[in-house]
Amino acid sequence: MFDARPQHNEYLRHRAQQFRSQVERRLNGSLTEDEFRPLRLMNGVYLQLHAYMLRVAIPYGTISPDQMRTLALLAEKWDKGYGHWTTRQNIQFNWPKLIDIPDMLDALAEVGLHAIQTSGNTIRNVTTDAYAGAAADEVADPRPYGELIRQWSTDHAEYQFLPRKFKIAITGSEKDRAVIAAHDIGLRLRRDDQGAIGYQVWIGGGLGRTPMLGQVVREFLPEADLLPYLEAIIAVYNLSGRRDNKYKARLKITVAERGLEVMRQEIEAEFLNRRAAFTGVDQDYLAALKGLFAAPAFREADEGDYSARRADHPAFRSWTDTNLAAHKAPGYVSVKVTFKAPGQTPGDASAEQMRLLADLAERYGHSDLRISHDQNVVLPHVHKSDLFALYQELRGAGLATANAGLISDIVACPGMDYCALATARSIPIAQEIADHFRARDLEEDIGRIDIRISGCINACGHHHLGHIGILGLDRAGVENYQITLGGDGYDIPAIGQRPGAGFPAEEVVGAIDRIIDTYLELRESPEERFIDAYRRVGVAPFKAALYAADA
Amino acid sequence: MSKGFTPSPATPAVITANDLRQGHCVWMRDGGWTDDPREAQLFEDEAIAELALLEAMAQGTLVVGPYLAEARRGPDGRPEPAHFREAFRRRGPSNYFHGKQADLGSSEFEANNV
């Protein structure tokens, strides 16, 4: 049975007890808010617009059914019945009371989950491909490396006071499904000419107010050199990263200001120093972790009535056309369950939905669940003969929306409906766009497209990477939305470009409509995706359609 | 923190914060705190507002992050938010009937009725 549960429950219980004591001291006045704030942030506790928010890490997006049920318990017992999947494979609870959060951390610790380093100037949750360990094109499962990095970096003294937050992503195949170019460090697993595993190492990516794509600092790093090389990168950043201005304190700024070659030389020199301290224990441990992440025992069976059901049920066929991904084992697929049903807040999951997914993972999916960075959930190992039964159960819970990768599968941050940093709302805009194109019945015709919305320049909705990105801003006390075009986090990393001025909230849907109509008119065939057509023709026709009245 | 404006009869202000234990939004009224934004004290004098803010900041075991939020006097004389951010804090999120709109149960706080 698959079980990636971190084996550190005693440590997590201790950390939860430590936070309980800190909360008690805050409440009795022994700690001021200024003293308490960094302590609560070290435990993933923010103070948001309406309430506290607890961000729980889902390491490399992998979660087991009992862990999922614990998230459901938290949602139901200490929140308002739901949680929110984020773009960095976390879950956020929007309404906990401070006095309850120690109990929530205790409950999480019982199943090996935690909120450590989900905030603060430290190494955040390591993210990966949601299809890790299952994808047909995978070089190797990235999750053991993610777990090694997680254990190495958690409470690592050197990384508790970095210049700013620090994000690492790993993809297990040549095709990037972890958006590695938008992270401080991105790792792509690959093999050398002899078949040995190693990593292509990217540094200096990141979004926010100064979006930048990462650059390759090492084409091939041998497998055993992972931790000393990461240490070298972070040591150089820790010493040379800007601390005078928090907006310039990210690695991307350091790389941009000092240049990749300077950074490479310093990293390689530091790597030589650090390498000697690694005697192989980390590699022994990595080998053990690989065993922990061993693939389940896939069964050999025919596809049953899968093809007949597809032929008989158009809605099922549509769902299988959009929501499945190729699997490495014969007869198996990975299933994406989207949390983007009509009227739904993108990424919100109710306690009932979480429990159902836990049950379905046990029944049909080798007890394995993944949180994807597009705010959906993946059942990575489902046999085709079980697909129709799974589909029917999902449909009964409103979770069989056939829209993975389509225009209503919108990534959206919580925006000003929840977030204290936001300058405009994201959620209603996402809902209006999804509703509009469903009403036009164009979703399947438009095909694959990636729309991403952020409620402020911090870019939690990763709008820069959307084929169409939308950024909410405050313009003289009114919500206003800038549109970007041509962003891509996957195939050919690209930061979207602004075609012109922003739009008031009530004009955003119309603007997106004109972009889509332009695409439908100029595409060479239904197979030419929006992003491919955009790359072929450039911004001009879209700009003309967006600002026709200004011409 | 003050948002950078000076309370006056033309741009009055309320003092708002979050409850320390529960986290929900609260507003200052007569030196204490109320859950109901309609009961907030409206400050039109800079000096009185700044003194009240100091008083609020001294209540660190009750509230977190008090600040002056620009407001205006509504038709009934009660304070109303002058910026959409404060309107959302006063009402609650637009995707669920949660927050103040649910806590206070008034039609004034129904979703999307900013």
Side-chain angles (χ1 to χ4, degrees), chain A residues 39-54:
Chain A
L39 301 175
R40 67 169 159 79
L41 290 177
M42 285 178 178
N43 290 279
V45 182
Y46 288 77
L47 183 60
Q48 292 288 22
L49 204 64
H50 309 294
Y52 290 99
M53 183 267 279
L54 176 64

Side-chain angles (χ1 to χ4, degrees), chain A residues 493-547:
Chain A
I495 302 291
Q497 300 299 309
R498 276 180 59 196
F503 296 88
E506 61 273 16
E507 294 179 16
V508 173
V509 169
I512 304 301
D513 207 39
R514 295 198 292 282
I515 293 169
I516 295 300
D517 282 345
T518 303
Y519 156 67
L520 292 174
E521 286 171 16
L522 62 73
R523 70 183 178 185
E524 291 186 326
S525 75
E527 285 69 45
E528 187 181 38
R529 298 177 309 158
F530 173 86
I531 187 65
D532 298 324
Y534 177 85
R535 287 178 180 140
R536 177 171 56 80
V537 303
V539 72
F542 298 99
K543 187 172 182 175
L546 275 172
Y547 305 105

Side-chain angles (χ1 to χ4, degrees), chain A residues 45-267:
Chain A
V45 182
Y46 288 77
L47 183 60
Q48 292 288 22
L49 204 64
H50 309 294
Y52 290 99
M53 183 267 279
L54 176 64
R55 179 182 292 153
V56 176
I58 299 172
Y60 32 88
T62 296
I63 190 167
S64 59
D66 66 331
Q67 290 174 325
M68 183 70 100
R69 291 189 184 99
T70 295
L71 297 182
L73 173 73
L74 263 61
E76 207 164 63
K77 187 171 180 179
W78 292 295
D79 207 275
K80 293 187 185 293
Y82 68 99
H84 176 79
W85 310 125
T86 80
T87 51
R88 295 208 74 260
Q89 298 180 312
N90 300 303
I91 185 170
Q92 293 180 174
F93 295 100
N94 287 313
W95 301 95
K97 298 175 175 63
L98 180 60
I99 51 178
D100 289 334
I101 291 174
D103 290 341
M104 298 171 82
L105 296 181
D106 280 346
L108 290 169
E110 289 306 308
V111 293
L113 288 174
H114 61 82
I116 298 166
Q117 293 185 194
T118 58
S119 178
N121 296 334
T122 186
I123 297 176
R124 303 291 187 86
N125 188 35
V126 178
T127 56
T128 63
D129 175 3
Y131 300 110
D137 62 352
E138 190 169 82
V139 173
D141 186 341
R143 293 173 303 153
Y145 306 96
E147 176 65 8
L148 183 70
I149 294 169
R150 190 184 72 85
Q151 295 196 27
W152 155 80
S153 64
T154 298
D155 265 1
H156 193 306
E158 189 176 347
Y159 308 140
Q160 297 311 300
F161 297 96
L162 294 175
R164 283 280 329 263
K165 58 187 171 184
F166 199 90
K167 300 174 181 178
I168 302 174
I170 316 171
T171 188
S173 73
E174 277 299 313
K175 186 173 176 58
D176 180 8
R177 285 184 292 263
V179 202
I180 61 172
H183 285 74
D184 292 281
I185 297 178
L187 301 168
R188 187 199 305 272
L189 290 171
R190 48 179 36 175
R191 291 184 187 275
D192 66 9
D193 295 342
Q194 282 72 49
I197 288 178
Y199 323 85
Q200 185 187 51
V201 184
W202 296 55
I203 62 168
L207 301 177
R209 69 176 61 206
T210 314
M212 292 183 187
L213 296 175
Q215 302 176 70
V216 176
V217 68
R218 252 294 188 117
E219 276 296 341
F220 190 84
L221 180 75
E223 182 179 34
D225 291 342
L226 177 62
L227 293 188
Y229 202 79
L230 294 183
E231 283 201 1
I233 295 170
I234 301 170
V236 169
Y237 165 63
N238 215 352
L239 285 170
S240 59
R242 297 273 298 268
R243 292 177 189 267
D244 58 321
N245 180 338
K246 75 179 215 177
Y247 301 115
K248 295 184 177 181
R250 298 294 301 270
L251 177 61
K252 62 187 175 186
I253 303 294
T254 310
V255 173
E257 288 184 345
R258 306 184 70 224
L260 182 65
E261 280 311 310
V262 170
M263 294 294 287
R264 179 182 284 131
Q265 288 171 21
E266 293 186 5
I267 290 166

Side-chain angles (χ1 to χ4, degrees), chain B residues 13-78:
Chain B
V14 295
I15 294 176
T16 182
N18 287 79
D19 180 84
L20 172 63
R21 301 170 71 87
Q22 313 281 332
H24 60 253
C25 303
V26 291
W27 289 263
M28 184 174 250
R29 181 189 62 181
D30 300 332
W33 298 94
T34 175
D35 294 344
D36 189 341
R38 295 164 299 187
E39 296 178 354
Q41 183 176 351
L42 201 59
F43 295 94
E44 297 177 335
D45 182 283
E46 179 188 3
I48 294 173
E50 293 293 343
L51 277 174
L53 183 60
L54 287 173
E55 185 181 347
M57 293 168 75
Q59 299 183 41
T61 56
L62 295 176
V63 296
V64 186
Y67 62 92
L68 284 166
E70 188 176 351
R72 55 175 169 251
R73 192 179 295 280
D76 60 358
R78 292 177 161 188

Side-chain angles (χ1 to χ4, degrees), chain A residues 165-452:
Chain A
K165 58 187 171 184
F166 199 90
K167 300 174 181 178
I168 302 174
I170 316 171
T171 188
S173 73
E174 277 299 313
K175 186 173 176 58
D176 180 8
R177 285 184 292 263
V179 202
I180 61 172
H183 285 74
D184 292 281
I185 297 178
L187 301 168
R188 187 199 305 272
L189 290 171
R190 48 179 36 175
R191 291 184 187 275
D192 66 9
D193 295 342
Q194 282 72 49
I197 288 178
Y199 323 85
Q200 185 187 51
V201 184
W202 296 55
I203 62 168
L207 301 177
R209 69 176 61 206
T210 314
M212 292 183 187
L213 296 175
Q215 302 176 70
V216 176
V217 68
R218 252 294 188 117
E219 276 296 341
F220 190 84
L221 180 75
E223 182 179 34
D225 291 342
L226 177 62
L227 293 188
Y229 202 79
L230 294 183
E231 283 201 1
I233 295 170
I234 301 170
V236 169
Y237 165 63
N238 215 352
L239 285 170
S240 59
R242 297 273 298 268
R243 292 177 189 267
D244 58 321
N245 180 338
K246 75 179 215 177
Y247 301 115
K248 295 184 177 181
R250 298 294 301 270
L251 177 61
K252 62 187 175 186
I253 303 294
T254 310
V255 173
E257 288 184 345
R258 306 184 70 224
L260 182 65
E261 280 311 310
V262 170
M263 294 294 287
R264 179 182 284 131
Q265 288 171 21
E266 293 186 5
I267 290 166
E268 293 292 340
E270 182 67 23
F271 169 64
L272 290 178
N273 289 335
R274 300 242 171 189
R275 185 70 192 87
F278 283 78
T279 58
V281 174
D282 58 321
Q283 292 306 295
D284 293 342
Y285 195 64
L286 177 62
L289 290 174
K290 287 180 179 176
L292 188 67
F293 288 91
F298 297 122
R299 70 178 189 267
E300 292 183 12
D302 62 36
E303 296 181 357
D305 60 1
Y306 172 64
S307 296
R309 295 292 192 185
R310 262 178 57 88
D312 294 344
H313 294 80
F316 176 59
R317 184 175 65 243
S318 177
W319 180 76
T320 58
D321 285 343
T322 53
N323 290 35
L324 305 185
H327 199 281
K328 64 184 179 184
Y332 278 82
V333 290
S334 295
V335 175
K336 181 170 280 187
V337 180
T338 74
F339 284 76
K340 316 289 177 67
Q344 184 169 12
T345 299
D348 274 12
S350 70
E352 294 79 12
Q353 289 171 329
M354 290 186 226
R355 288 200 181 95
L356 175 69
L357 284 176
D359 293 345
L360 296 178
E362 286 176 339
R363 208 173 315 152
Y364 303 115
H366 294 277
S367 296
D368 198 349
L369 294 148
R370 310 294 173 77
I371 310 306
S372 67
H373 48 69
D374 54 10
Q375 300 177 294
N376 295 314
V377 174
V378 169
L379 297 173
H381 313 298
V382 180
H383 196 273
K384 285 184 178 176
S385 61
D386 290 329
L387 272 176
F388 189 67
L390 171 65
Y391 168 78
Q392 286 184 303
E393 298 216 40
L394 290 171
R395 190 176 60 175
L399 285 172
T401 311
N403 68 339
L406 302 185
I407 198 166
S408 64
D409 187 9
I410 296 171
V411 172
C413 74
M416 198 181 266
D417 279 309
Y418 295 91
C419 180
L421 299 175
T423 48
R425 288 175 296 175
S426 302
I427 293 166
I429 300 295
Q431 291 171 325
E432 288 168 17
I433 293 169
D435 289 346
H436 174 78
F437 286 101
R438 283 189 178 110
R440 287 190 68 189
D441 197 22
L442 275 178
E443 193 158 30
E444 286 191 29
D445 190 24
I446 296 166
R448 301 276 164 179
I449 189 167
D450 194 354
I451 296 186
R452 294 166 179 259

Side-chain angles (χ1 to χ4, degrees), chain A residues 2-29:
Chain A
F2 169 85
D3 186 359
R5 180 182 311 174
Q7 306 294 306
H8 292 146
N9 293 22
E10 194 55 44
Y11 164 73
L12 297 180
R13 279 192 282 269
H14 170 74
R15 275 292 300 255
Q17 177 57 40
Q18 190 181 51
F19 186 63
R20 183 181 297 278
S21 168
Q22 291 162 354
V23 169
E24 287 170 358
R25 282 182 282 151
R26 174 68 184 97
L27 295 177
N28 70 24

